[in-house]
Amino acid sequence: MTHWFHRNPLKATAPVSFNLYGVASSPAANKICNDLRTARARLLDAFTDATCTPEIMKKSSDEYFALLQGFILPLDGTTQENKLRFIQNFKWTDSLQGNIASAQQDAVFELVSMAFNVAIWYTKFASRLAGKENITEDEAKDVHKSLRIAAGIFKTLKETHIPRLITPAEKGRDLEPRVIDTYIVQIQAEAQEVTIARAIELKHNASLIAALSFETANFYQKADHTLNTLDPECSSKWKKYLQLKQHFYMAYAHCYHGQTLLAGDKCGEAIRSLQEAEKFYSRAEALCKEYRQTKGPGSTAKPSEQLFFKKLGTFIKNTLEKCQRENGFIYFHKVPAEAPALELKASYGLAEPTPFELPPLSAQCTPEVYATFDLTKGPKEDKAKAKHDEEIKPVKEPDLKPQKDTGCVVS
């Protein structure tokens, strides 16, 4: 299933030295700054390391976030803002906006930007793992788990941390609601794809597969509509991906609903449902071509080249022919003009985001050490306003090499 998922680029960032000169006036304070610089560099390296695992990513991100919170949480016994929150400038690009960076002199901006990248990494890890030949059941569970973790990170950033920013997120940038909501819904839909593939592999009840497919198609439609008011230059390709996945899973829903209807001796309605599946599948094929031809950020998925995609077309065709034969010999039902309504609700199998929690504050960040950071000493910069004139080189991501496609996500 290599190239089954569309992935936007990782955010890039300018180096941060955490050199606070005379401000860090004790060895312990200097050690925190040095450890922050080292932990940040280690985490950034992990994003592009093809051998990085979720365990390594969690360890690296926890180490950095535990230290970074020493610049965010109140450490002087009051509820006042941490005096170090606005001392360091941070610059980040966006996953949709190319190499032009935004800058904020705010440790919360650094927290949400880095955590955003951690979430994107989990989606990319899931995509690479899903692309393995003969993926095992445990690996499929890891794909599902990684996607839910990513959705949970995005959800927590949106609800808890992004509202704390002094400078609100600008329109069309990663931290604004439309973009982050689209990531959350897309990732939930992709996690449900793993569940659907598993249900098909184990030959679960057709009504369950139809309901899950319908719910997943609706997720993709919701994600697509969330991007409607975003600049087409940066969102058109992403939208085409969401649309093709919506139509693909609507085809699945109508196909398996047709099977359910046939099993209930409603052959005419089954035929009409399968004809509707054919329409959605044909539209999904057309959208695959449009998606490939649309310019925009991100890796180009190739769903129409996957056996999982091709198998559905064959399955719809064979099932429709079977229904038509049965109707000609046994049922003699009239085929309705309107397709049967999909009033389907999955009672289980829906993917929920995994709650995300930051690690505890580092033991190094004590009130005593905090007191040795003296803002009256050393050079201080004025609070930085958002800048858009500095270009940062994009992250060089590991190549996703195609592997032999076995036609299923789980086995």
Side-chain angles (χ1 to χ4, degrees):
M1 296 287 286
T2 309
H3 301 308
W4 180 252
F5 301 118
H6 172 91
R7 291 292 175 257
N8 289 325
L10 285 162
K11 296 161 72 70
T13 181
V16 178
S17 67
F18 290 102
N19 286 332
L20 299 186
Y21 307 109
V23 173
S25 60
S26 71
N30 274 311
K31 186 175 188 308
I32 287 174
C33 294
N34 290 336
D35 288 351
L36 270 167
R37 181 172 60 252
T38 302
R40 188 180 199 264
R42 187 184 300 120
L43 179 52
L44 292 174
D45 286 343
F47 289 143
T48 57
D49 183 355
T51 65
C52 183
T53 63
E55 292 74 25
I56 294 172
M57 177 54 62
K58 178 163 176 53
K59 183 174 183 292
S60 297
S61 58
D62 278 358
E63 285 176 356
Y64 183 56
F65 292 146
L67 287 164
L68 186 63
Q69 287 184 93
F71 281 41
I72 297 172
L73 299 176
L75 295 177
D76 57 0
T78 72
T79 57
Q80 292 183 344
E81 203 71 73
N82 187 309
K83 66 185 178 183
L84 301 175
R85 175 175 170 179
F86 304 109
I87 199 169
Q88 178 69 60
N89 197 37
F90 300 96
K91 296 171 185 171
W92 284 89
T93 64
D94 287 86
S95 61
L96 297 178
Q97 301 281 359
N99 302 335
I100 305 302
S102 295
Q104 288 194 36
Q105 197 152 322
D106 186 349
V108 173
F109 177 67
E110 168 73 356
L111 173 69
V112 296
S113 298
M114 189 68 83
F116 192 103
N117 245 19
V118 172
I120 290 182
W121 180 88
Y122 273 103
T123 70
K124 289 175 180 282
F125 173 79
S127 184
R128 287 199 300 273
L129 192 56
K132 284 187 66 177
E133 186 177 345
N134 297 320
I135 183 171
T136 66
E137 181 178 342
D138 285 343
E139 288 170 333
K141 288 179 181 176
D142 284 341
V143 172
H144 191 264
K145 180 181 178 181
S146 295
L147 291 169
R148 291 175 59 230
I149 288 172
I153 294 172
F154 283 128
K155 188 170 185 287
T156 302
L157 292 180
K158 179 197 170 189
E159 295 174 354
T160 305
H161 301 293
I162 292 174
R164 294 191 61 199
L165 289 171
I166 302 299
T167 305
E170 297 175 61
K171 290 182 178 180
R173 293 197 170 264
D174 283 342
L175 305 183
E176 74 117 311
R178 290 174 299 177
V179 175
I180 211 156
D181 280 343
T182 303
Y183 275 114
I184 293 169
V185 177
Q186 174 189 333
I187 294 164
Q188 285 182 268
E190 290 177 346
Q192 286 176 199
E193 288 193 60
V194 180
T195 305
I196 292 168
R198 179 70 175 164
I200 292 168
E201 192 77 16
L202 296 180
K203 296 181 170 55
H204 276 293
N205 191 292
S207 61
L208 170 64
I209 297 170
L212 279 171
S213 298
F214 184 56
E215 298 267 18
T216 302
N218 287 339
F219 267 60
Y220 277 119
Q221 183 179 54
K222 180 182 176 182
D224 173 41
H225 288 175
T226 304
L227 291 178
N228 276 348
T229 54
L230 217 62
D231 182 1
E233 187 175 337
C234 62
S235 65
S236 291
K237 190 176 188 68
W238 197 5
K239 281 175 64 65
K240 287 294 182 186
Y241 166 77
L242 298 170
Q243 289 165 13
L244 74 87
K245 283 294 187 76
Q246 180 216 339
H247 283 76
F248 180 69
Y249 281 100
M250 281 299 290
Y252 251 116
H254 279 287
C255 178
Y256 277 88
H257 187 51
Q259 284 196 313
T260 304
L261 291 168
L262 181 61
D265 293 326
K266 297 178 180 179
C267 196
E269 290 181 47
I271 290 171
R272 186 63 187 86
S273 191
L274 284 152
Q275 289 172 339
E276 197 70 6
E278 277 191 323
K279 288 182 184 177
F280 275 104
Y281 185 78
S282 295
R283 181 60 185 142
E285 286 184 308
L287 282 164
C288 284
K289 293 178 183 175
E290 292 175 25
Y291 166 73
R292 285 197 299 270
Q293 293 165 358
T294 303
K295 293 182 179 180
S299 60
T300 300
K302 301 173 183 176
S304 60
E305 297 178 10
Q306 312 299 322
L307 284 176
F308 187 67
F309 189 98
K310 294 175 180 177
K311 276 183 176 180
L312 177 59
T314 304
F315 186 54
I316 293 170
K317 180 176 179 291
N318 292 342
T319 309
L320 177 57
E321 289 175 354
K322 175 189 173 183
C323 287
Q324 289 169 332
R325 285 196 305 271
E326 298 282 317
N327 204 40
F329 281 105
I330 302 171
Y331 295 103
F332 304 104
H333 289 169
K334 182 180 178 181
V335 177
E338 296 292 326
L342 292 178
E343 297 173 351
L344 307 173
K345 189 76 178 173
S347 55
Y348 52 91
L350 298 178
E352 288 296 327
T354 299
F356 170 68
E357 292 183 2
L358 288 170
L361 177 69
S362 170
Q364 294 175 241
C365 302
T366 64
E368 293 75 23
V369 176
Y370 177 74
T372 67
F373 284 94
D374 187 352
L375 268 61
T376 66
K377 297 179 181 178
K380 292 191 292 183
E381 296 178 19
D382 293 328
K383 288 183 180 179
K385 296 178 181 178
K387 298 173 185 175
H388 306 289
D389 57 353
E390 180 169 346
E391 188 164 303
I392 295 176
K393 291 181 180 178
V395 178
K396 186 171 175 55
E397 301 185 37
D399 291 333
L400 187 64
K401 296 178 181 177
Q403 299 188 38
K404 183 180 177 183
D405 188 6
T406 58
C408 64
V409 173
V410 290
S411 58

